[in-house]
PDB file of all heavy atoms in Angstrom:
ATOM      1  N   GLY A   1     -47.030  28.358 168.968  1.00 83.00           N
ATOM      2  CA  GLY A   1     -47.806  27.895 170.041  1.00 83.00           C
ATOM      3  C   GLY A   1     -48.028  28.807 171.231  1.00 83.00           C
ATOM      4  O   GLY A   1     -47.239  29.821 171.443  1.00 83.00           O
ATOM      5  N   LYS A   2     -48.995  28.489 172.011  1.00 89.00           N
ATOM      6  CA  LYS A   2     -49.190  29.415 173.183  1.00 89.00           C
ATOM      7  C   LYS A   2     -49.279  28.340 174.443  1.00 89.00           C
ATOM      8  O   LYS A   2     -49.561  27.185 174.200  1.00 89.00           O
ATOM      9  CB  LYS A   2     -50.462  30.164 173.091  1.00 89.00           C
ATOM     10  CG  LYS A   2     -50.407  31.171 172.041  1.00 89.00           C
ATOM     11  CD  LYS A   2     -51.596  31.990 172.076  1.00 89.00           C
ATOM     12  CE  LYS A   2     -51.702  33.113 170.989  1.00 89.00           C
ATOM     13  NZ  LYS A   2     -50.847  34.298 171.420  1.00 89.00           N
ATOM     14  N   GLY A   3     -49.021  28.902 175.564  1.00 92.00           N
ATOM     15  CA  GLY A   3     -49.029  28.131 176.789  1.00 92.00           C
ATOM     16  C   GLY A   3     -48.056  26.968 176.870  1.00 92.00           C
ATOM     17  O   GLY A   3     -47.079  26.916 176.136  1.00 92.00           O
ATOM     18  N   GLN A   4     -48.223  26.086 177.876  1.00 93.00           N
ATOM     19  CA  GLN A   4     -47.467  24.927 178.112  1.00 93.00           C
ATOM     20  C   GLN A   4     -45.897  25.314 178.233  1.00 93.00           C
ATOM     21  O   GLN A   4     -45.026  24.631 177.694  1.00 93.00           O
ATOM     22  CB  GLN A   4     -47.672  23.845 177.066  1.00 93.00           C
ATOM     23  CG  GLN A   4     -49.139  23.405 176.988  1.00 93.00           C
ATOM     24  CD  GLN A   4     -49.323  22.290 175.919  1.00 93.00           C
ATOM     25  OE1 GLN A   4     -48.349  21.619 175.586  1.00 93.00           O
ATOM     26  NE2 GLN A   4     -50.569  22.225 175.429  1.00 93.00           N
ATOM     27  N   SER A   5     -45.669  26.293 179.008  1.00 94.00           N
ATOM     28  CA  SER A   5     -44.360  26.924 179.151  1.00 94.00           C
ATOM     29  C   SER A   5     -43.552  26.233 180.210  1.00 94.00           C
ATOM     30  O   SER A   5     -42.378  26.132 180.256  1.00 94.00           O
ATOM     31  CB  SER A   5     -44.437  28.330 179.333  1.00 94.00           C
ATOM     32  OG  SER A   5     -43.037  28.859 179.469  1.00 94.00           O
ATOM     33  N   PHE A   6     -44.271  25.763 181.312  1.00 96.00           N
ATOM     34  CA  PHE A   6     -43.692  25.192 182.575  1.00 96.00           C
ATOM     35  C   PHE A   6     -43.908  23.807 182.832  1.00 96.00           C
ATOM     36  O   PHE A   6     -45.116  23.362 182.775  1.00 96.00           O
ATOM     37  CB  PHE A   6     -44.193  26.019 183.712  1.00 96.00           C
ATOM     38  CG  PHE A   6     -43.590  25.699 184.977  1.00 96.00           C
ATOM     39  CD1 PHE A   6     -42.450  26.157 185.398  1.00 96.00           C
ATOM     40  CD2 PHE A   6     -44.095  24.785 185.812  1.00 96.00           C
ATOM     41  CE1 PHE A   6     -41.677  25.879 186.603  1.00 96.00           C
ATOM     42  CE2 PHE A   6     -43.640  24.349 187.023  1.00 96.00           C
ATOM     43  CZ  PHE A   6     -42.374  24.966 187.444  1.00 96.00           C
ATOM     44  N   PRO A   7     -42.853  23.073 183.023  1.00 97.00           N
ATOM     45  CA  PRO A   7     -41.513  23.281 182.812  1.00 97.00           C
ATOM     46  C   PRO A   7     -41.090  23.221 181.339  1.00 97.00           C
ATOM     47  O   PRO A   7     -41.832  22.581 180.616  1.00 97.00           O
ATOM     48  CB  PRO A   7     -40.781  22.243 183.671  1.00 97.00           C
ATOM     49  CG  PRO A   7     -41.789  21.065 183.622  1.00 97.00           C
ATOM     50  CD  PRO A   7     -43.107  21.673 183.531  1.00 97.00           C
ATOM     51  N   SER A   8     -39.941  23.703 181.007  1.00 97.00           N
ATOM     52  CA  SER A   8     -39.347  23.655 179.661  1.00 97.00           C
ATOM     53  C   SER A   8     -38.975  22.246 179.373  1.00 97.00           C
ATOM     54  O   SER A   8     -38.264  21.577 180.015  1.00 97.00           O
ATOM     55  CB  SER A   8     -38.108  24.554 179.593  1.00 97.00           C
ATOM     56  OG  SER A   8     -37.453  24.252 178.464  1.00 97.00           O
ATOM     57  N   ARG A   9     -39.655  21.759 178.173  1.00 96.00           N
ATOM     58  CA  ARG A   9     -39.398  20.356 177.704  1.00 96.00           C
ATOM     59  C   ARG A   9     -37.979  20.412 177.065  1.00 96.00           C
ATOM     60  O   ARG A   9     -37.264  19.377 177.129  1.00 96.00           O
ATOM     61  CB  ARG A   9     -40.436  19.898 176.803  1.00 96.00           C
ATOM     62  CG  ARG A   9     -41.325  18.982 177.423  1.00 96.00           C
ATOM     63  CD  ARG A   9     -42.302  18.251 176.438  1.00 96.00           C
ATOM     64  NE  ARG A   9     -42.645  19.032 175.334  1.00 96.00           N
ATOM     65  CZ  ARG A   9     -43.694  18.907 174.646  1.00 96.00           C
ATOM     66  NH1 ARG A   9     -44.662  18.026 175.038  1.00 96.00           N
ATOM     67  NH2 ARG A   9     -44.007  19.699 173.573  1.00 96.00           N
ATOM     68  N   HIS A  10     -37.558  21.515 176.422  1.00 96.00           N
ATOM     69  CA  HIS A  10     -36.270  21.560 175.891  1.00 96.00           C
ATOM     70  C   HIS A  10     -35.207  21.383 177.051  1.00 96.00           C
ATOM     71  O   HIS A  10     -34.317  20.711 177.044  1.00 96.00           O
ATOM     72  CB  HIS A  10     -36.042  22.887 175.168  1.00 96.00           C
ATOM     73  CG  HIS A  10     -36.453  23.042 173.810  1.00 96.00           C
ATOM     74  ND1 HIS A  10     -37.795  23.232 173.454  1.00 96.00           N
ATOM     75  CD2 HIS A  10     -35.843  22.904 172.563  1.00 96.00           C
ATOM     76  CE1 HIS A  10     -37.890  23.243 172.172  1.00 96.00           C
ATOM     77  NE2 HIS A  10     -36.710  22.982 171.550  1.00 96.00           N
ATOM     78  N   GLY A  11     -35.400  22.166 178.146  1.00 98.00           N
ATOM     79  CA  GLY A  11     -34.480  22.112 179.269  1.00 98.00           C
ATOM     80  C   GLY A  11     -34.555  20.677 179.832  1.00 98.00           C
ATOM     81  O   GLY A  11     -33.499  20.163 180.126  1.00 98.00           O
ATOM     82  N   PHE A  12     -35.728  20.125 180.120  1.00 98.00           N
ATOM     83  CA  PHE A  12     -35.847  18.836 180.572  1.00 98.00           C
ATOM     84  C   PHE A  12     -35.098  17.732 179.782  1.00 98.00           C
ATOM     85  O   PHE A  12     -34.319  16.993 180.320  1.00 98.00           O
ATOM     86  CB  PHE A  12     -37.364  18.422 180.700  1.00 98.00           C
ATOM     87  CG  PHE A  12     -37.497  16.950 181.058  1.00 98.00           C
ATOM     88  CD1 PHE A  12     -37.339  16.486 182.308  1.00 98.00           C
ATOM     89  CD2 PHE A  12     -37.865  16.069 180.039  1.00 98.00           C
ATOM     90  CE1 PHE A  12     -37.515  15.051 182.477  1.00 98.00           C
ATOM     91  CE2 PHE A  12     -38.012  14.679 180.258  1.00 98.00           C
ATOM     92  CZ  PHE A  12     -37.783  14.227 181.611  1.00 98.00           C
ATOM     93  N   SER A  13     -35.327  17.820 178.442  1.00 98.00           N
ATOM     94  CA  SER A  13     -34.756  16.774 177.636  1.00 98.00           C
ATOM     95  C   SER A  13     -33.248  16.908 177.583  1.00 98.00           C
ATOM     96  O   SER A  13     -32.549  15.920 177.761  1.00 98.00           O
ATOM     97  CB  SER A  13     -35.320  16.930 176.270  1.00 98.00           C
ATOM     98  OG  SER A  13     -36.734  16.716 176.180  1.00 98.00           O
ATOM     99  N   ALA A  14     -32.721  18.098 177.442  1.00 98.00           N
ATOM    100  CA  ALA A  14     -31.346  18.470 177.351  1.00 98.00           C
ATOM    101  C   ALA A  14     -30.531  17.963 178.558  1.00 98.00           C
ATOM    102  O   ALA A  14     -29.596  17.222 178.570  1.00 98.00           O
ATOM    103  CB  ALA A  14     -31.068  19.847 176.995  1.00 98.00           C
ATOM    104  N   PHE A  15     -31.140  18.327 179.785  1.00 98.00           N
ATOM    105  CA  PHE A  15     -30.505  17.972 181.031  1.00 98.00           C
ATOM    106  C   PHE A  15     -30.742  16.455 181.352  1.00 98.00           C
ATOM    107  O   PHE A  15     -29.823  15.846 181.935  1.00 98.00           O
ATOM    108  CB  PHE A  15     -30.956  18.805 182.169  1.00 98.00           C
ATOM    109  CG  PHE A  15     -30.377  20.091 182.213  1.00 98.00           C
ATOM    110  CD1 PHE A  15     -30.902  21.270 181.548  1.00 98.00           C
ATOM    111  CD2 PHE A  15     -29.102  20.398 182.907  1.00 98.00           C
ATOM    112  CE1 PHE A  15     -30.227  22.501 181.627  1.00 98.00           C
ATOM    113  CE2 PHE A  15     -28.542  21.473 182.922  1.00 98.00           C
ATOM    114  CZ  PHE A  15     -29.096  22.600 182.348  1.00 98.00           C
ATOM    115  N   THR A  16     -31.771  15.925 180.890  1.00 98.00           N
ATOM    116  CA  THR A  16     -31.921  14.456 181.021  1.00 98.00           C
ATOM    117  C   THR A  16     -30.800  13.723 180.247  1.00 98.00           C
ATOM    118  O   THR A  16     -30.127  12.835 180.833  1.00 98.00           O
ATOM    119  CB  THR A  16     -33.277  13.897 180.595  1.00 98.00           C
ATOM    120  OG1 THR A  16     -34.329  14.495 181.427  1.00 98.00           O
ATOM    121  CG2 THR A  16     -33.359  12.376 180.626  1.00 98.00           C
ATOM    122  N   ILE A  17     -30.783  14.004 178.972  1.00 98.00           N
ATOM    123  CA  ILE A  17     -29.706  13.383 178.095  1.00 98.00           C
ATOM    124  C   ILE A  17     -28.335  13.584 178.571  1.00 98.00           C
ATOM    125  O   ILE A  17     -27.543  12.592 178.707  1.00 98.00           O
ATOM    126  CB  ILE A  17     -29.831  13.889 176.598  1.00 98.00           C
ATOM    127  CG1 ILE A  17     -31.244  13.458 176.137  1.00 98.00           C
ATOM    128  CG2 ILE A  17     -28.701  13.434 175.796  1.00 98.00           C
ATOM    129  CD1 ILE A  17     -31.583  14.152 174.853  1.00 98.00           C
ATOM    130  N   ALA A  18     -28.064  14.852 179.002  1.00 98.00           N
ATOM    131  CA  ALA A  18     -26.697  15.154 179.515  1.00 98.00           C
ATOM    132  C   ALA A  18     -26.430  14.233 180.755  1.00 98.00           C
ATOM    133  O   ALA A  18     -25.308  13.752 180.809  1.00 98.00           O
ATOM    134  CB  ALA A  18     -26.490  16.575 179.937  1.00 98.00           C
ATOM    135  N   THR A  19     -27.338  14.099 181.771  1.00 98.00           N
ATOM    136  CA  THR A  19     -27.086  13.359 182.904  1.00 98.00           C
ATOM    137  C   THR A  19     -27.019  11.902 182.583  1.00 98.00           C
ATOM    138  O   THR A  19     -26.242  11.198 183.281  1.00 98.00           O
ATOM    139  CB  THR A  19     -28.242  13.775 183.937  1.00 98.00           C
ATOM    140  OG1 THR A  19     -28.232  15.209 184.206  1.00 98.00           O
ATOM    141  CG2 THR A  19     -27.928  13.014 185.230  1.00 98.00           C
ATOM    142  N   CYS A  20     -27.815  11.414 181.713  1.00 97.00           N
ATOM    143  CA  CYS A  20     -27.742   9.975 181.324  1.00 97.00           C
ATOM    144  C   CYS A  20     -26.424   9.656 180.761  1.00 97.00           C
ATOM    145  O   CYS A  20     -25.873   8.450 181.012  1.00 97.00           O
ATOM    146  CB  CYS A  20     -28.745   9.623 180.225  1.00 97.00           C
ATOM    147  SG  CYS A  20     -30.432   9.464 180.930  1.00 97.00           S
ATOM    148  N   TRP A  21     -25.724  10.587 180.139  1.00 97.00           N
ATOM    149  CA  TRP A  21     -24.330  10.223 179.667  1.00 97.00           C
ATOM    150  C   TRP A  21     -23.354   9.901 180.726  1.00 97.00           C
ATOM    151  O   TRP A  21     -22.260   9.330 180.436  1.00 97.00           O
ATOM    152  CB  TRP A  21     -23.765  11.485 178.775  1.00 97.00           C
ATOM    153  CG  TRP A  21     -23.996  11.177 177.380  1.00 97.00           C
ATOM    154  CD1 TRP A  21     -25.131  11.605 176.606  1.00 97.00           C
ATOM    155  CD2 TRP A  21     -23.130  10.418 176.496  1.00 97.00           C
ATOM    156  NE1 TRP A  21     -24.862  11.123 175.343  1.00 97.00           N
ATOM    157  CE2 TRP A  21     -23.756  10.406 175.167  1.00 97.00           C
ATOM    158  CE3 TRP A  21     -21.907   9.757 176.664  1.00 97.00           C
ATOM    159  CZ2 TRP A  21     -23.204   9.804 174.130  1.00 97.00           C
ATOM    160  CZ3 TRP A  21     -21.397   9.133 175.516  1.00 97.00           C
ATOM    161  CH2 TRP A  21     -21.970   9.150 174.383  1.00 97.00           C
ATOM    162  N   PHE A  22     -23.676  10.194 181.995  1.00 96.00           N
ATOM    163  CA  PHE A  22     -22.725   9.787 183.031  1.00 96.00           C
ATOM    164  C   PHE A  22     -22.593   8.217 183.097  1.00 96.00           C
ATOM    165  O   PHE A  22     -21.584   7.720 183.580  1.00 96.00           O
ATOM    166  CB  PHE A  22     -23.114  10.348 184.426  1.00 96.00           C
ATOM    167  CG  PHE A  22     -22.726  11.790 184.547  1.00 96.00           C
ATOM    168  CD1 PHE A  22     -23.512  12.756 184.578  1.00 96.00           C
ATOM    169  CD2 PHE A  22     -21.255  11.996 184.965  1.00 96.00           C
ATOM    170  CE1 PHE A  22     -23.235  14.093 184.756  1.00 96.00           C
ATOM    171  CE2 PHE A  22     -20.940  13.279 185.083  1.00 96.00           C
ATOM    172  CZ  PHE A  22     -21.776  14.367 185.021  1.00 96.00           C
ATOM    173  N   ALA A  23     -23.552   7.506 182.576  1.00 93.00           N
ATOM    174  CA  ALA A  23     -23.481   6.009 182.495  1.00 93.00           C
ATOM    175  C   ALA A  23     -22.370   5.632 181.561  1.00 93.00           C
ATOM    176  O   ALA A  23     -21.912   4.542 181.697  1.00 93.00           O
ATOM    177  CB  ALA A  23     -24.848   5.531 182.137  1.00 93.00           C
ATOM    178  N   ALA A  24     -22.008   6.385 180.586  1.00 93.00           N
ATOM    179  CA  ALA A  24     -21.075   6.015 179.605  1.00 93.00           C
ATOM    180  C   ALA A  24     -19.774   6.787 179.648  1.00 93.00           C
ATOM    181  O   ALA A  24     -18.708   6.269 179.522  1.00 93.00           O
ATOM    182  CB  ALA A  24     -21.687   6.152 178.224  1.00 93.00           C
ATOM    183  N   SER A  25     -19.880   8.194 179.829  1.00 94.00           N
ATOM    184  CA  SER A  25     -18.633   8.990 179.789  1.00 94.00           C
ATOM    185  C   SER A  25     -18.946  10.272 180.562  1.00 94.00           C
ATOM    186  O   SER A  25     -19.662  11.096 180.137  1.00 94.00           O
ATOM    187  CB  SER A  25     -18.310   9.277 178.349  1.00 94.00           C
ATOM    188  OG  SER A  25     -17.222  10.151 178.256  1.00 94.00           O
ATOM    189  N   ALA A  26     -18.138  10.415 181.674  1.00 97.00           N
ATOM    190  CA  ALA A  26     -18.363  11.632 182.452  1.00 97.00           C
ATOM    191  C   ALA A  26     -17.898  12.913 181.790  1.00 97.00           C
ATOM    192  O   ALA A  26     -18.486  13.961 181.785  1.00 97.00           O
ATOM    193  CB  ALA A  26     -17.523  11.614 183.841  1.00 97.00           C
ATOM    194  N   PRO A  27     -16.760  12.944 180.913  1.00 98.00           N
ATOM    195  CA  PRO A  27     -16.390  14.088 180.149  1.00 98.00           C
ATOM    196  C   PRO A  27     -17.500  14.473 179.204  1.00 98.00           C
ATOM    197  O   PRO A  27     -17.782  15.657 179.011  1.00 98.00           O
ATOM    198  CB  PRO A  27     -15.056  13.722 179.521  1.00 98.00           C
ATOM    199  CG  PRO A  27     -14.558  12.581 180.335  1.00 98.00           C
ATOM    200  CD  PRO A  27     -15.709  11.869 180.867  1.00 98.00           C
ATOM    201  N   VAL A  28     -18.020  13.599 178.530  1.00 98.00           N
ATOM    202  CA  VAL A  28     -19.144  13.858 177.591  1.00 98.00           C
ATOM    203  C   VAL A  28     -20.322  14.447 178.331  1.00 98.00           C
ATOM    204  O   VAL A  28     -20.878  15.519 177.869  1.00 98.00           O
ATOM    205  CB  VAL A  28     -19.506  12.603 176.735  1.00 98.00           C
ATOM    206  CG1 VAL A  28     -20.768  13.023 175.880  1.00 98.00           C
ATOM    207  CG2 VAL A  28     -18.382  12.295 175.742  1.00 98.00           C
ATOM    208  N   ALA A  29     -20.697  13.868 179.469  1.00 98.00           N
ATOM    209  CA  ALA A  29     -21.729  14.402 180.244  1.00 98.00           C
ATOM    210  C   ALA A  29     -21.590  15.730 180.705  1.00 98.00           C
ATOM    211  O   ALA A  29     -22.494  16.645 180.563  1.00 98.00           O
ATOM    212  CB  ALA A  29     -21.949  13.402 181.445  1.00 98.00           C
ATOM    213  N   VAL A  30     -20.404  15.994 181.056  1.00 98.00           N
ATOM    214  CA  VAL A  30     -20.154  17.438 181.605  1.00 98.00           C
ATOM    215  C   VAL A  30     -20.187  18.414 180.405  1.00 98.00           C
ATOM    216  O   VAL A  30     -20.853  19.517 180.567  1.00 98.00           O
ATOM    217  CB  VAL A  30     -18.704  17.586 182.358  1.00 98.00           C
ATOM    218  CG1 VAL A  30     -18.221  18.967 182.517  1.00 98.00           C
ATOM    219  CG2 VAL A  30     -18.713  16.736 183.638  1.00 98.00           C
ATOM    220  N   ALA A  31     -19.692  18.099 179.300  1.00 98.00           N
ATOM    221  CA  ALA A  31     -19.782  18.928 178.042  1.00 98.00           C
ATOM    222  C   ALA A  31     -21.214  19.128 177.649  1.00 98.00           C
ATOM    223  O   ALA A  31     -21.624  20.249 177.350  1.00 98.00           O
ATOM    224  CB  ALA A  31     -19.072  18.364 176.881  1.00 98.00           C
ATOM    225  N   LEU A  32     -21.998  18.094 177.826  1.00 98.00           N
ATOM    226  CA  LEU A  32     -23.420  18.219 177.460  1.00 98.00           C
ATOM    227  C   LEU A  32     -24.227  19.034 178.507  1.00 98.00           C
ATOM    228  O   LEU A  32     -25.176  19.689 178.151  1.00 98.00           O
ATOM    229  CB  LEU A  32     -24.045  16.842 177.234  1.00 98.00           C
ATOM    230  CG  LEU A  32     -23.648  16.108 176.037  1.00 98.00           C
ATOM    231  CD1 LEU A  32     -24.216  14.685 176.022  1.00 98.00           C
ATOM    232  CD2 LEU A  32     -24.142  16.798 174.733  1.00 98.00           C
ATOM    233  N   LEU A  33     -23.846  18.897 179.801  1.00 98.00           N
ATOM    234  CA  LEU A  33     -24.481  19.803 180.826  1.00 98.00           C
ATOM    235  C   LEU A  33     -24.218  21.266 180.365  1.00 98.00           C
ATOM    236  O   LEU A  33     -25.156  22.118 180.558  1.00 98.00           O
ATOM    237  CB  LEU A  33     -23.980  19.489 182.179  1.00 98.00           C
ATOM    238  CG  LEU A  33     -24.539  18.191 182.730  1.00 98.00           C
ATOM    239  CD1 LEU A  33     -23.709  17.786 184.003  1.00 98.00           C
ATOM    240  CD2 LEU A  33     -25.984  18.297 183.069  1.00 98.00           C
ATOM    241  N   VAL A  34     -23.060  21.595 179.997  1.00 98.00           N
ATOM    242  CA  VAL A  34     -22.665  22.950 179.601  1.00 98.00           C
ATOM    243  C   VAL A  34     -23.543  23.372 178.378  1.00 98.00           C
ATOM    244  O   VAL A  34     -24.119  24.508 178.394  1.00 98.00           O
ATOM    245  CB  VAL A  34     -21.192  23.159 179.302  1.00 98.00           C
ATOM    246  CG1 VAL A  34     -20.934  24.508 178.700  1.00 98.00           C
ATOM    247  CG2 VAL A  34     -20.399  23.002 180.525  1.00 98.00           C
ATOM    248  N   ALA A  35     -23.624  22.393 177.440  1.00 98.00           N
ATOM    249  CA  ALA A  35     -24.490  22.692 176.147  1.00 98.00           C
ATOM    250  C   ALA A  35     -25.950  22.829 176.600  1.00 98.00           C
ATOM    251  O   ALA A  35     -26.735  23.619 176.056  1.00 98.00           O
ATOM    252  CB  ALA A  35     -24.349  21.593 175.219  1.00 98.00           C
ATOM    253  N   ALA A  36     -26.479  22.001 177.561  1.00 98.00           N
ATOM    254  CA  ALA A  36     -27.851  22.138 178.042  1.00 98.00           C
ATOM    255  C   ALA A  36     -28.187  23.571 178.656  1.00 98.00           C
ATOM    256  O   ALA A  36     -29.099  24.151 178.443  1.00 98.00           O
ATOM    257  CB  ALA A  36     -28.158  20.983 179.026  1.00 98.00           C
ATOM    258  N   ALA A  37     -27.162  24.043 179.440  1.00 98.00           N
ATOM    259  CA  ALA A  37     -27.257  25.366 180.023  1.00 98.00           C
ATOM    260  C   ALA A  37     -27.316  26.415 178.907  1.00 98.00           C
ATOM    261  O   ALA A  37     -28.068  27.300 179.075  1.00 98.00           O
ATOM    262  CB  ALA A  37     -26.156  25.647 180.996  1.00 98.00           C
ATOM    263  N   ALA A  38     -26.437  26.200 177.964  1.00 98.00           N
ATOM    264  CA  ALA A  38     -26.514  27.131 176.771  1.00 98.00           C
ATOM    265  C   ALA A  38     -27.804  27.115 176.150  1.00 98.00           C
ATOM    266  O   ALA A  38     -28.429  28.132 175.745  1.00 98.00           O
ATOM    267  CB  ALA A  38     -25.394  26.830 175.788  1.00 98.00           C
ATOM    268  N   LEU A  39     -28.412  25.946 175.897  1.00 98.00           N
ATOM    269  CA  LEU A  39     -29.705  25.837 175.224  1.00 98.00           C
ATOM    270  C   LEU A  39     -30.852  26.584 176.157  1.00 98.00           C
ATOM    271  O   LEU A  39     -31.651  27.300 175.606  1.00 98.00           O
ATOM    272  CB  LEU A  39     -30.039  24.388 175.089  1.00 98.00           C
ATOM    273  CG  LEU A  39     -31.506  24.116 174.467  1.00 98.00           C
ATOM    274  CD1 LEU A  39     -31.706  24.803 173.067  1.00 98.00           C
ATOM    275  CD2 LEU A  39     -31.701  22.665 174.271  1.00 98.00           C
ATOM    276  N   GLY A  40     -30.687  26.334 177.367  1.00 98.00           N
ATOM    277  CA  GLY A  40     -31.640  27.063 178.398  1.00 98.00           C
ATOM    278  C   GLY A  40     -31.573  28.564 178.268  1.00 98.00           C
ATOM    279  O   GLY A  40     -32.609  29.305 178.150  1.00 98.00           O
ATOM    280  N   ALA A  41     -30.270  29.068 178.170  1.00 97.00           N
ATOM    281  CA  ALA A  41     -30.093  30.534 177.981  1.00 97.00           C
ATOM    282  C   ALA A  41     -30.704  31.000 176.611  1.00 97.00           C
ATOM    283  O   ALA A  41     -31.310  32.055 176.564  1.00 97.00           O
ATOM    284  CB  ALA A  41     -28.602  30.842 177.976  1.00 97.00           C
ATOM    285  N   CYS A  42     -30.480  30.173 175.665  1.00 97.00           N
ATOM    286  CA  CYS A  42     -31.086  30.521 174.382  1.00 97.00           C
ATOM    287  C   CYS A  42     -32.698  30.743 174.399  1.00 97.00           C
ATOM    288  O   CYS A  42     -33.199  31.548 173.835  1.00 97.00           O
ATOM    289  CB  CYS A  42     -30.749  29.546 173.263  1.00 97.00           C
ATOM    290  SG  CYS A  42     -29.136  29.455 172.704  1.00 97.00           S
ATOM    291  N   ARG A  43     -33.238  29.723 175.115  1.00 97.00           N
ATOM    292  CA  ARG A  43     -34.681  29.709 175.137  1.00 97.00           C
ATOM    293  C   ARG A  43     -35.193  31.053 176.025  1.00 97.00           C
ATOM    294  O   ARG A  43     -36.231  31.536 175.682  1.00 97.00           O
ATOM    295  CB  ARG A  43     -35.218  28.477 175.873  1.00 97.00           C
ATOM    296  CG  ARG A  43     -34.711  27.212 175.250  1.00 97.00           C
ATOM    297  CD  ARG A  43     -35.304  26.990 173.847  1.00 97.00           C
ATOM    298  NE  ARG A  43     -36.715  26.648 173.962  1.00 97.00           N
ATOM    299  CZ  ARG A  43     -37.538  26.596 172.928  1.00 97.00           C
ATOM    300  NH1 ARG A  43     -37.059  26.879 171.662  1.00 97.00           N
ATOM    301  NH2 ARG A  43     -38.854  26.405 172.981  1.00 97.00           N
ATOM    302  N   VAL A  44     -34.433  31.372 177.018  1.00 97.00           N
ATOM    303  CA  VAL A  44     -34.844  32.564 177.875  1.00 97.00           C
ATOM    304  C   VAL A  44     -34.566  33.804 176.966  1.00 97.00           C
ATOM    305  O   VAL A  44     -35.423  34.671 176.938  1.00 97.00           O
ATOM    306  CB  VAL A  44     -34.102  32.630 179.154  1.00 97.00           C
ATOM    307  CG1 VAL A  44     -34.388  33.949 179.827  1.00 97.00           C
ATOM    308  CG2 VAL A  44     -34.618  31.371 180.046  1.00 97.00           C
ATOM    309  N   LEU A  45     -33.325  33.953 176.461  1.00 95.00           N
ATOM    310  CA  LEU A  45     -32.952  35.097 175.522  1.00 95.00           C
ATOM    311  C   LEU A  45     -33.920  35.266 174.349  1.00 95.00           C
ATOM    312  O   LEU A  45     -34.158  36.299 173.905  1.00 95.00           O
ATOM    313  CB  LEU A  45     -31.615  35.031 175.118  1.00 95.00           C
ATOM    314  CG  LEU A  45     -30.548  35.314 176.112  1.00 95.00           C
ATOM    315  CD1 LEU A  45     -29.123  35.016 175.574  1.00 95.00           C
ATOM    316  CD2 LEU A  45     -30.623  36.721 176.636  1.00 95.00           C
ATOM    317  N   GLY A  46     -34.453  34.080 173.899  1.00 95.00           N
ATOM    318  CA  GLY A  46     -35.339  34.028 172.746  1.00 95.00           C
ATOM    319  C   GLY A  46     -36.791  34.491 173.066  1.00 95.00           C
ATOM    320  O   GLY A  46     -37.518  34.682 172.278  1.00 95.00           O
ATOM    321  N   GLY A  47     -37.083  34.559 174.339  1.00 95.00           N
ATOM    322  CA  GLY A  47     -38.309  35.058 174.835  1.00 95.00           C
ATOM    323  C   GLY A  47     -39.364  33.905 174.822  1.00 95.00           C
ATOM    324  O   GLY A  47     -40.580  34.291 174.923  1.00 95.00           O
ATOM    325  N   VAL A  48     -39.086  32.657 174.728  1.00 95.00           N
ATOM    326  CA  VAL A  48     -40.049  31.638 174.732  1.00 95.00           C
ATOM    327  C   VAL A  48     -40.173  30.955 176.081  1.00 95.00           C
ATOM    328  O   VAL A  48     -41.201  30.104 176.159  1.00 95.00           O
ATOM    329  CB  VAL A  48     -39.805  30.563 173.538  1.00 95.00           C
ATOM    330  CG1 VAL A  48     -39.897  31.284 172.154  1.00 95.00           C
ATOM    331  CG2 VAL A  48     -38.441  30.034 173.683  1.00 95.00           C
TER     332      VAL A  48
END
């Protein structure tokens, strides 16, 4: 695909899910925030 780059939906979704986890488990939420940052790095390093 082309276009529709801003904002990243992968980043939006991952950080939304990670933050929502604070309603159930703060340790899981923190781990998912780290994973969301890693996914964001993958998307930038991947050039998309």
